[in-house]
Amino acid sequence: MTDSSFDVVSKVDHQEADNALNQAAKEVEQRYDFKNTDASVAWSGEMIMIKANSEERAKAVLDVLHTKLIKRGISMKALDSGDPFPSGKEYRIESTLKAGIDQENAKKMTKLIRDEGPKNAKAQIQGDELRVSSKSRDDLQEIIALLRGADFPLDLQFVNYR
């Protein structure tokens, strides 16, 4: 009997993120409490740049972006935002979308699977993904539940279930 397997990945749908950012920009442009605050949210390369004339306004724009991302099905674990910092006459917040599983978290996941998962399950790190295999599909379901229950700072998806 062949092994069944699945991949654990952390990816963000960039089209959905772009749509959420455009909706947030439109709302910031139209909302009355953002009038005359020079508030904006836009892509700056691979980064999301939030600008406003005060620290509180910048945080409010970030909150609008959060609500739009959640409505689009993007987890807040995928957004890595810094603190507001002054830049000339305005405040800025730089945010990035995290994609891929870093080595440190991949090692934590493999250790968790080895320690608390079924005995015959194997986990391998493959670049920024994690491949989990076992003879029993029930074991794989158990591992998915185990990883979902653990609090990793990543938005995990389980793909290629075979």
Side-chain angles (χ1 to χ4, degrees), residues 20-30 41-42 64:
L21 186 114
N22 290 336
Q23 286 179 343
K26 187 181 268 187
E27 183 172 324
V28 166
E29 199 174 287
Q30 293 175 349
V41 56
V64 170

Side-chain angles (χ1 to χ4, degrees), residues 101-161:
I101 301 172
D102 57 276
Q103 288 293 318
E104 181 183 330
N105 283 313
K107 287 178 183 175
K108 286 180 186 175
M109 285 183 215
T110 55
K111 183 175 180 349
L112 180 72
I113 292 167
R114 200 172 47 243
D115 294 346
E116 297 181 27
K119 294 295 175 217
N120 59 353
K122 296 184 288 284
Q124 298 172 298
I125 300 171
Q126 296 181 334
D128 61 352
E129 297 181 352
L130 189 70
R131 162 102 12 114
V132 180
S133 58
S134 175
K135 292 203 182 303
S136 165
R137 286 180 172 242
D138 291 340
D139 290 350
L140 295 181
Q141 292 291 339
E142 217 176 291
I143 291 169
I144 289 174
L146 179 69
L147 289 175
R148 281 202 174 122
D151 188 32
F152 288 106
L154 302 166
D155 179 32
L156 299 178
Q157 293 96 28
F158 306 97
V159 297
N160 295 338
Y161 189 87

Side-chain angles (χ1 to χ4, degrees), residues 56-72:
E56 291 76 27
R57 285 288 128 223
K59 287 181 179 177
V61 173
L62 181 63
D63 191 45
V64 170
L65 179 63
H66 281 183
T67 57
K68 297 302 179 187
L69 287 170
I70 289 169
K71 281 185 181 177
R72 287 278 178 183

Side-chain angles (χ1 to χ4, degrees), residues 24-93:
K26 187 181 268 187
E27 183 172 324
V28 166
E29 199 174 287
Q30 293 175 349
R31 268 184 36 184
Y32 181 76
D33 56 335
F34 288 120
K35 294 283 186 227
N36 301 322
T37 61
D38 298 327
S40 68
V41 56
W43 288 106
S44 175
E46 286 293 307
M47 215 179 320
I48 298 171
M49 182 65 72
I50 296 172
K51 299 176 186 175
N53 65 359
S54 73
E55 190 173 338
E56 291 76 27
R57 285 288 128 223
K59 287 181 179 177
V61 173
L62 181 63
D63 191 45
V64 170
L65 179 63
H66 281 183
T67 57
K68 297 302 179 187
L69 287 170
I70 289 169
K71 281 185 181 177
R72 287 278 178 183
I74 297 174
S75 171
M76 287 299 92
K77 291 181 178 181
L79 186 70
D80 187 21
S81 297
D83 291 327
F85 62 92
S87 176
K89 292 182 178 180
E90 65 187 9
Y91 281 83
R92 295 181 177 191
I93 299 176

